[in-house]
Amino acid sequence: MFDDVARKYDLTNDVLSMGMDRLWRRATRAAVAARPGERVLDLAAGTGTSSADYADAGIEVVPCDFSAGMVAVGKARRPDLAFVVGDGTQLPFADDSFDAVTISFGLRNIVDTIGGLAEMRRVTRPGGRLVIAEFSSPPNPLWSRLYTVYNDHVLPRLAAVVSSNTEAYSYLSESIAQWPDQRGLAGLLHQAGWRSVAFRNLSGGIVALHRASNPHSRATD
Ligand SMILES: C[S@@+](CC[C@H](N)C(=O)[O-])C[C@H]1O[C@@H](n2cnc3c(N)ncnc32)[C@H](O)[C@@H]1O
């Protein structure tokens, strides 16, 4: 599915989020707070839009995604980035390879969520961190209602105009509706062995940023 939307993926994102995706990416990067000398895995990186900002700030970043189509578009745009084609549930990296792992709008797509979160922990060094940006559940009932109307009625129509694959964007609104809320995702992080789990809402909870750290011992497995 992602191979089919790759070419117009970033333009479609900008239109469907009304440019908010740029603010969400900036907030995610601030939460990762990577310092020069650190190595960051940007998982489900798509075309590498988020990864490019890390690289431009002098951070060693590895964009990894299992869609060869998304990676091809990313590589054409940024040949300097070390893209890796890989599956989030079986990452092609050694244990403790990264200081931080981040995943933006990709965890929802990994079928085995807990398996993916455990695999992210395996490749994060002890004491390292995880930052997840993902669509979530606005706690304010009125905002939540407006957001549902947008997702169910406006987003599919806009996607039909901008995107090359309308079905993929019907899947987007369905998968958002089925995804756990902020506390639910925090619980899944705990189950996968992550600790110091915290979250904060962006755009009134349309997106949530979850942060967690990898305990120093694997005894919590
Ligand atoms: C909505 S896009 C997000 C892309 C990018 N992170 C961004 O913020 O624009 C979701 C991405 O998750 C990738 N993906 C889905 N399942 C995956 C898996 N099991 N392992 C790695 N990537 C996966 C898709 O190929 C797609 O590029």
Side-chain angles (χ1 to χ4, degrees):
M1 179 179 74
F2 285 99
D3 286 348
D4 294 340
V5 299
R7 206 170 43 84
K8 292 189 180 168
Y9 173 78
D10 288 286
L11 169 70
T12 309
N13 262 357
D14 269 343
V15 172
L16 298 185
S17 74
M18 299 181 227
M20 296 298 288
D21 60 318
R22 291 163 192 254
L23 300 180
W24 300 334
R25 284 181 206 287
R26 199 176 309 150
T28 307
R29 214 165 55 247
V32 172
R35 295 175 291 276
E38 288 194 317
R39 190 165 185 244
V40 174
L41 171 63
D42 183 14
L43 181 57
T47 59
T49 308
S50 294
S51 314
D53 292 330
Y54 289 96
D56 292 343
I59 308 294
E60 184 186 348
V61 62
V62 178
C64 175
D65 197 285
F66 82 167
S67 158
M70 294 289 262
V71 166
V73 171
K75 268 187 180 163
R77 198 175 294 159
R78 287 292 300 247
D80 58 312
L81 296 182
F83 280 93
V84 172
V85 175
D87 182 344
T89 58
Q90 281 184 303
L91 288 169
F93 307 109
D95 294 1
D96 307 340
S97 312
F98 295 95
D99 298 289
V101 174
T102 181
I103 179 165
S104 303
F105 311 105
L107 187 59
R108 209 174 4 96
N109 303 115
I110 295 183
V111 178
D112 176 5
T113 311
I114 297 204
L117 291 171
E119 187 63 352
M120 290 173 217
R121 189 159 88 81
R122 180 186 68 75
V123 301
T124 303
R125 68 163 168 80
R129 59 225 186 258
L130 171 67
V131 175
I132 301 169
E134 190 50 90
F135 293 109
S136 201
S137 303
N140 178 295
L142 182 59
W143 188 230
S144 171
R145 182 74 200 123
L146 283 172
Y147 176 53
T148 304
V149 169
Y150 175 80
N151 266 353
D152 291 350
H153 302 288
V154 183
L155 185 146
R157 288 182 173 82
L158 275 179
V161 177
V162 193
S163 168
S164 42
N165 182 334
T166 317
E167 271 174 35
Y169 289 90
S170 310
Y171 162 79
L172 172 67
S173 50
E174 280 161 29
S175 70
I176 291 174
Q178 286 159 12
W179 184 245
D181 68 7
Q182 290 82 337
R183 285 182 202 289
L185 178 54
L188 297 183
L189 279 157
H190 262 280
Q191 280 184 53
W194 289 94
R195 293 295 174 261
S196 308
V197 177
F199 64 81
R200 78 177 178 95
N201 289 329
L202 304 178
S203 304
I206 288 177
V207 169
L209 270 190
H210 282 73
R211 293 183 350 184
S213 60
N214 189 14
H216 282 270
S217 139
R218 297 215 189 263
T220 51
D221 286 343

